[in-house]
Amino acid sequence: MKKVYIKEDVCIGCGLCEVYCRLKHSRSKDLVKAYKKETPRPLSRLRVDESGIVSLSVRCQHCDDAPCIGACLTGALSRDPSTSLVIVDEERCIGCGTCTLVCPLGIPKLDTAQKKMVKCDLCQDEEIPVCVANCPNEALLYAEVEEALT
Amino acid sequence: MVATRKIKYLIIGNSAGGIGAAEAIREVDKAGAITIVSDEPYPTYSRPLISEYLAHPYPVEKMVYRQSDFYEKNKIKTLLGEKVIQVNPDKHTVKLENGTTLVWQKLLLATGGTPIFPEMEGNRLKGVFTFNKLDDARAIDGFLNQYRNRVRAVVIGGGLIGVSVTEALLRRGVEVTVVEMKDWVLNTILDEEAADFEAQALVHAGTNIITGHTAEKINSYLPGEVSGVTLDDGRVLSCQMAIIAIGVQSRLEVVAESGIKINRGIVVDRRMATSAPDIYACGDVAEAFDFVYGVNRLTPVWPNAYEGGRVAGLNMAGKPAKYQGGTAMNALKYFGVYIASAGLVTPPDDSYQTLINRYDGIYRKVIIKKGKLAGLVFAGDIEKSGIVYNLMKDGVDVSSFKEALVADDFGLASLPESIWKDRLESSPPEGVPVITSIEKPEELVIGD
Ligand SMILES: Cc1cc2nc3c(=O)[nH]c(=O)nc-3n(C[C@H](O)[C@H](O)[C@H](O)COP(=O)(O)OP(=O)(O)OC[C@H]3O[C@@H](n4cnc5c(N)ncnc54)[C@H](O)[C@@H]3O)c2cc1C
Ligand code: SF4
Ligand code: SF4
């Protein structure tokens, strides 16, 4: 399974990962429009948490023992058998936020306009996630874990 | 009639707890016969969605908790619309209302809860409802469909279920009055300040809220039909329907004479096992370990039912598992107001410390005892509530960074490095090839 790892010691907190993530999830795919004009406002699936000199680019880790799946009130969250990713069925999600409350990283984000939860899917339609591709400091690593180990 | 073939795993209850158990059993035992019995005639559905159903109405297919091939794929036999009337622990049997006796090897009681229905004058009238299952929502829907004019309803009880039905009724154009005995709505899951966010939204949406009073009787002018509700101060609220939502109790009737240890619910250990051999319980019917109180309590919420069911299922299938514990926890979004709470919401005495922050319409509160978290309330923005919830669940000593938990810029980086490192996978295993970029960053499109 593929994962994004963070090298926090080289992350300078520039926030470009967040910018590109939001752009990726905008309809216009235009930076200015995505930030200023689009409604509903496109949301970044990742978050940069900062404190002092520490910056952490945090996204869904697709946990092995994902507590969000068991907590989901509607059955909208599940593990995709082919990619092993934790995915959300937008049709069934009601955006209640129960998954946000049980996630150790507080990741699931509520799109209040659409009344849905949104979360990182590692950019399934891209070669590599846009955050990783556009980090100027190579602070994000994309690695295929099990395959490399076996 | 006695079924001769023994069922390896018999599960009573086809909801969060029962499904959690069945899924866990199938992870360990691919073939052992599983049967799920429920007196509700539907495939497993998300109970909290009954308010969506009533509001729209919402297509039943969107309410299903698992895909339609779930039972077949997992080789689960279902007896839906069948009621269990008695459990016999010694003989390892259960008796169904239709006369059948089923023999089992391992039994799970995931019978959930049932609305508390007070002895009150008028409680049997047409137009009096509870709100706990799909058929309740259907009955209310059918009732509303008879009326052309605006219907008035009194919701007795301002807890989660009362607020849930109120939202649905308002969306159906019903005029609603909520009567709450205590000083504020949602008082078991929210403190006064967070509840006020919700109360304001309710009022804004047109609800009339009466707190500090109870309903004394339901009145009837036309024989058999509701005409109003009389409160304890003599006030009369005229209405055509009354919803009783004063609380839920564990559904214990099947074990009443079984000798299984019961307190307010069925008492279970950390394996979710009851006092009787081979019998497990979970969900709203079970009193399981609460990690905030450190004792067994009822914590009737969906995630705990699923997790308890999962632990029960693993143990039933022979794989030892321990329930880490659950606590009362809820994420709410009624009327577009986002609130999350878990554990204690108001400190019971002054041995607890409370930290609060308010900014930009956001409210954050944590309750701490002896360095450890005992409760949280996040209103307005609930993102990151999970970070705090998990610190509480893991019993982390937060003394050295407690102020950060409610700060405006709270995030993972606010925690000590050892904690966030533990939560983030910050380096791939040795020797794994990593990608950091494709050839070159794409060109940014800026403006028109
Ligand atoms: C309107 C509403 C809103 C809610 N909102 C939330 C929310 O936002 N968040 C949250 O966490 N929780 C919420 N809940 C609570 C949540 O639904 C319950 O905690 C959860 O359903 C408990 O699951 P369970 O498996 O223990 O039992 P239940 O879901 O109660 O299922 C038990 C099943 O067993 C069947 N059964 C019982 N006895 C017998 C018998 N003798 N024979 C055959 N079958 C039997 C019952 O008919 C039922 O189908 C809400 C509940 C309601 C009603
Ligand atoms: S949402 Fe949170 S709990 Fe769920 S898989 Fe992602 S990181 Fe894990
Ligand atoms: S927000 Fe959506 S995915 Fe999360 S628990 Fe609620 S229904 Fe499930």
Side-chain angles (χ1 to χ4, degrees):
Chain A
M1 171 193 176
K2 288 238 168 73
K3 280 199 166 157
V4 172
Y5 294 91
I6 60 172
K7 271 175 79 178
E8 75 287 343
D9 46 342
V10 296
C11 171
I12 56 162
C14 67
L16 271 180
C17 47
E18 212 170 327
V19 171
Y20 277 93
C21 184
R22 189 183 291 180
L23 190 62
K24 164 84 188 156
H25 295 99
S26 65
R27 273 170 295 121
S28 63
K29 311 288 177 205
D30 174 303
L31 196 65
V32 171
K33 284 188 192 154
Y35 268 76
K36 296 251 161 88
K37 298 191 188 142
E38 261 185 51
T39 42
R41 218 162 149 246
L43 295 176
S44 165
R45 272 61 173 157
L46 65 81
R47 192 176 80 217
V48 180
D49 282 356
E50 288 182 287
S51 175
I53 54 158
V54 183
S55 308
L56 302 170
S57 169
V58 201
R59 64 188 60 52
C60 175
Q61 311 241 32
H62 303 278
C63 310
D64 292 336
D65 178 20
C68 58
I69 298 179
C72 176
L73 298 189
T74 64
L77 280 168
S78 64
R79 192 175 297 280
D80 185 309
S82 58
T83 59
S84 294
L85 298 181
V86 175
I87 51 165
V88 55
D89 174 352
E90 283 194 12
E91 270 295 297
R92 288 196 290 159
C93 172
I94 53 164
C96 65
T98 306
C99 48
T100 310
L101 179 56
V102 302
C103 169
L105 306 178
I107 285 297
K109 189 176 258 159
L110 299 170
D111 184 335
T112 50
Q114 314 274 350
K115 300 204 171 69
K116 301 279 171 208
M117 180 275 270
V118 295
K119 188 177 84 46
C120 170
D121 67 350
L122 296 182
C123 297
Q124 285 306 288
D125 55 348
E126 303 275 348
E127 205 178 321
I128 67 173
V130 296
C131 54
V132 176
N134 291 287
C135 173
N137 294 306
E138 305 200 336
L140 297 172
L141 313 177
Y142 192 48
E144 175 85 51
V145 194
E146 276 108 330
E147 266 177 31
L149 288 178
T150 48
Chain B
M1 190 180 92
V2 177
T4 43
R5 260 193 60 224
K6 245 191 204 173
I7 298 162
K8 191 160 178 193
Y9 308 102
L10 180 65
I11 296 172
I12 312 176
N14 184 27
S15 188
I19 298 298
E23 291 182 338
I25 291 169
R26 275 294 170 258
E27 281 174 25
V28 180
D29 181 347
K30 300 275 181 238
I34 300 177
T35 296
I36 298 181
V37 197
S38 175
D39 58 359
E40 286 191 84
Y42 310 106
T44 185
Y45 67 91
S46 170
R47 190 167 306 284
L49 285 182
I50 64 173
S51 64
E52 295 288 334
Y53 176 84
L54 177 60
H56 287 186
Y58 203 68
V60 180
E61 309 83 70
K62 267 181 84 174
M63 295 180 71
V64 293
Y65 181 50
R66 289 295 180 258
Q67 305 292 354
S68 54
D69 59 355
F70 171 79
Y71 298 103
E72 201 193 317
K73 232 163 118 183
N74 287 290
K75 297 190 224 69
I76 296 167
K77 191 177 163 202
T78 52
L79 295 170
L80 303 181
E82 301 288 353
K83 187 171 178 175
V84 175
I85 53 170
Q86 200 181 46
V87 171
N88 188 325
D90 295 336
K91 290 194 186 144
H92 277 49
T93 57
V94 301
K95 215 164 129 189
L96 302 187
E97 198 173 47
N98 70 11
T100 317
T101 297
L102 303 173
V103 191
W104 44 266
Q105 286 176 32
K106 304 275 177 189
L107 174 68
L108 177 69
L109 304 167
T111 53
T114 188
I116 298 171
F117 200 74
E119 275 318 312
M120 180 195 288
E121 191 183 324
N123 66 7
R124 304 279 160 197
L125 294 168
K126 187 168 156 275
V128 176
F129 300 94
T130 54
F131 195 61
N132 189 53
K133 52 184 196 287
L134 182 52
D135 282 346
D136 295 336
R138 289 205 142 134
I140 297 172
D141 181 42
F143 183 84
L144 291 176
N145 290 340
Q146 299 169 17
Y147 288 85
R148 284 178 173 219
N149 299 338
R150 191 152 200 217
V151 175
R152 268 195 229 151
V154 171
V155 173
I156 305 172
L160 181 70
I161 291 178
V163 171
S164 176
V165 73
T166 298
E167 187 187 51
L169 290 173
L170 287 173
R171 280 161 69 184
R172 290 289 293 269
V174 176
E175 195 180 320
V176 187
T177 300
V178 176
V179 180
E180 166 56 50
M181 177 174 74
K182 300 262 177 67
D183 294 338
W184 63 87
V185 293
L186 297 166
N187 53 68
T188 59
I189 58 174
L190 297 182
D191 63 348
E192 192 168 1
E193 192 163 342
D196 197 48
F197 276 71
E198 202 59 70
Q200 283 184 25
L202 273 160
V203 170
H204 184 74
T207 321
N208 176 23
I209 304 178
I210 299 174
T211 55
H213 289 282
T214 55
E216 256 185 11
K217 64 183 179 99
I218 301 170
N219 311 318
S220 173
Y221 292 132
L222 289 175
E225 290 181 21
V226 172
S227 64
V229 170
T230 302
L231 303 188
D232 53 358
D233 59 358
R235 234 183 308 178
V236 177
L237 307 169
S238 95
C239 61
Q240 291 91 33
M241 67 191 298
I243 318 276
I244 298 184
I246 59 170
V248 172
Q249 61 195 2
S250 298
R251 206 171 148 186
L252 296 164
E253 74 261 18
V254 294
V255 291
E257 279 151 31
S258 65
I260 291 173
K261 190 172 169 203
I262 296 169
N263 189 21
R264 284 175 66 204
I266 301 171
V267 181
V268 293
D269 64 14
R270 297 293 281 274
R271 299 175 308 126
M272 306 307 286
T274 69
S275 64
D278 302 323
I279 304 183
Y280 296 74
C282 67
D284 287 9
V285 78
E287 253 186 48
F289 185 68
D290 182 316
F291 61 76
V292 167
Y293 289 81
V295 294
N296 280 28
R297 290 180 82 239
L298 295 173
T299 59
V301 293
W302 187 275
N304 295 352
Y306 183 87
E307 179 59 20
R310 183 170 167 76
V311 170
L314 291 172
N315 284 309
M316 289 164 78
K319 184 171 177 186
K322 188 176 166 193
Y323 182 57
Q324 199 191 338
T327 196
M329 53 118 109
N330 282 281
L332 313 175
K333 55 135 204 179
Y334 295 113
F335 306 98
V337 178
Y338 288 84
I339 306 184
S341 74
L344 300 175
V345 290
T346 40
D349 58 59
D350 57 16
S351 68
Y352 292 80
Q353 189 190 2
T354 305
L355 297 172
I356 294 179
N357 185 16
R358 306 173 181 88
Y359 63 100
D360 302 340
I362 289 169
Y363 173 68
R364 282 206 188 137
K365 164 168 161 182
V366 295
I367 297 174
I368 295 170
K369 175 153 184 166
K370 292 196 186 129
K372 294 194 175 166
L373 284 158
L376 69 97
V377 183
F378 276 45
D381 175 9
I382 67 166
E383 209 188 328
K384 304 177 194 165
S385 57
I387 302 176
V388 181
Y389 173 77
N390 280 279
L391 291 170
M392 176 162 86
K393 184 167 186 181
D394 296 343
V396 174
D397 190 323
V398 298
S399 319
S400 65
F401 56 92
K402 59 189 176 197
E403 276 82 16
L405 299 174
V406 294
D408 305 15
D409 63 352
F410 170 69
L412 219 51
S414 321
L415 309 179
E417 183 172 326
S418 60
I419 300 180
W420 60 252
K421 277 230 156 114
D422 195 47
R423 281 169 200 225
L424 286 172
E425 282 174 283
S426 45
S427 53
E430 287 289 316
V432 171
V434 298
I435 311 169
T436 55
S437 63
I438 32 183
E439 294 299 78
K440 95 180 190 293
E442 55 188 85
E443 288 288 313
L444 266 185
V445 184
I446 303 181
D448 287 314

